Amino acid sequence: MGPGLYSDIGRRARDLLYRDYQTDQKFSLTTYTATGVAITAVGTKRNEAILGEIQSQLKNKNVTVDVKANSDSSLLTTITVDELATPGLKSILNFVILDPKSGKIELQYLHDHAGVAAGFGLSKNPIVNVSGVLGTKSLSVGADVGFDTASGSFTKYNAGLSYNSLDFSTSLTVNEKGDQLSASYYHLVNPLFSTAVGAELAHRLSTAENTLTFGTQHALDPLTTVKARVDNYGRASALIQHEWRPKSLITISTEVDTKAIEKGSKVGLSLVLKP
């Protein structure tokens, strides 16, 4: 019931405007072994490249182990421990097998009036990332900082302010070392049909460039949702998503540049199968 983490600032508007939109073709299949291990195979066609990924996940009480192998022959392991030593504390360890410099540790702590995350690489001169949020579930303010111990310089410093209610969210953030100002808005118009509208305005100080994106969604029935968005550059996108069985989704999305119709449209397809 607290303010969450810094990454939660503006999340409802981002999910409305960007989540599930894609122009790739993606297939995902999840199955479970008799011992409870979840195995997921993912294939993605991106332009002319075909990418593959196999992930296995094992949960035991408050410990989750994920092992992911992808088409570039890397093997990423993630170990997550919830409620570590005290309620609200989570630890996450990431590393690529046979690459000792790839290890990373992240700690997350959630409280009724605060959310803190800290992460650093397991190398001689790691990059340290720290973010924190203070407030309540309704009103919160936070900051996100990255520091390179090798060069002694900041890699990022961001700040944000968020207001949330049951059917309304708005946020204001300063990103990219103060170069980008962003404001977002989300409104759940009709909870019965999940009808919502949202917008995001981003202004880059160095170039005086503005990007304005509008989006909306509506549930045709309890299992089918449609979404659409458009920005001030004339890029328009739409998708339809259908849950044809519990946890199994098919999503068809398309994107077109309305200022260059002759170039045609991009079409994406996602099929997720779960038992």
Side-chain angles (χ1 to χ4, degrees):
M1 298 300 293
L5 299 174
Y6 183 82
S7 57
D8 294 321
I9 294 179
R11 181 180 296 276
R12 296 171 80 181
R14 288 197 307 272
D15 285 350
L16 173 67
L17 295 173
Y18 306 110
R19 186 177 178 180
D20 295 324
Y21 287 100
Q22 65 174 15
T23 56
D24 303 327
Q25 288 72 51
K26 183 177 181 180
F27 176 79
S28 174
L29 174 64
T30 300
T31 185
Y32 292 88
T33 67
T35 57
V37 178
I39 300 176
T40 301
V42 180
T44 303
K45 183 178 184 296
R46 182 172 302 157
N47 297 325
E48 299 302 320
I50 297 179
L51 308 175
E53 179 181 289
I54 296 179
Q55 178 180 357
S56 62
Q57 182 183 84
L58 175 63
K59 293 184 178 181
N60 183 18
K61 297 181 179 180
N62 65 328
V63 179
T64 302
V65 179
D66 288 279
V67 179
K68 183 186 299 183
N70 53 38
S71 52
D72 65 2
S73 300
S74 64
L75 196 61
L76 174 64
T77 300
T78 303
I79 302 173
T80 304
V81 182
D82 290 304
E83 307 296 327
L84 178 66
T86 183
L89 181 62
K90 175 190 290 188
S91 67
I92 303 172
L93 170 63
N94 294 305
F95 60 92
V96 177
I97 294 178
L98 301 181
D99 185 359
K101 296 182 179 180
S102 66
K104 296 179 181 178
I105 290 181
E106 181 178 357
L107 295 176
Q108 298 177 358
Y109 179 68
L110 296 176
H111 186 268
D112 289 344
H113 299 289
V116 179
F120 55 90
L122 300 179
S123 60
K124 183 178 179 180
N125 297 300
I127 294 177
V128 179
N129 295 299
V130 179
S131 65
V133 179
L134 296 175
T136 65
K137 188 176 181 180
S138 298
L139 181 64
S140 61
V141 59
D144 179 28
V145 177
F147 184 77
D148 188 343
T149 59
S151 62
S153 61
F154 288 98
T155 59
K156 63 177 179 179
Y157 39 85
N158 308 317
L161 175 68
S162 177
Y163 173 78
N164 298 286
S165 65
L166 288 176
D167 59 358
F168 177 82
S169 294
T170 185
S171 68
L172 178 65
T173 58
V174 181
N175 301 310
E176 299 186 18
K177 299 182 179 181
D179 187 49
Q180 186 182 71
L181 304 177
S182 298
S184 68
Y185 161 82
Y186 170 92
H187 185 198
L188 181 61
V189 180
N190 188 336
L192 182 62
F193 294 98
S194 299
T195 304
V197 295
E200 181 184 62
L201 174 63
H203 175 72
R204 189 173 296 276
L205 298 177
S206 59
T207 61
E209 178 184 7
N210 294 311
T211 302
L212 180 61
T213 306
F214 289 100
T216 185
Q217 74 173 24
H218 177 75
L220 301 178
D221 57 53
L223 301 176
T224 308
T225 300
V226 293
K227 296 175 64 174
R229 72 178 183 198
V230 64
D231 63 24
N232 60 312
Y233 295 104
R235 294 186 293 259
S237 303
L239 71 79
I240 181 170
Q241 185 176 79
H242 179 68
E243 185 177 11
W244 58 280
R245 57 175 294 177
K247 299 181 182 180
S248 295
L249 303 170
I250 181 170
T251 305
I252 302 174
S253 57
T254 183
E255 178 183 300
V256 62
D257 185 349
T258 60
K259 296 182 179 180
I261 298 293
E262 68 279 0
K263 294 183 180 180
S265 61
K266 300 178 181 178
V267 178
L269 173 65
S270 173
L271 180 61
V272 178
L273 303 178
K274 293 185 178 182

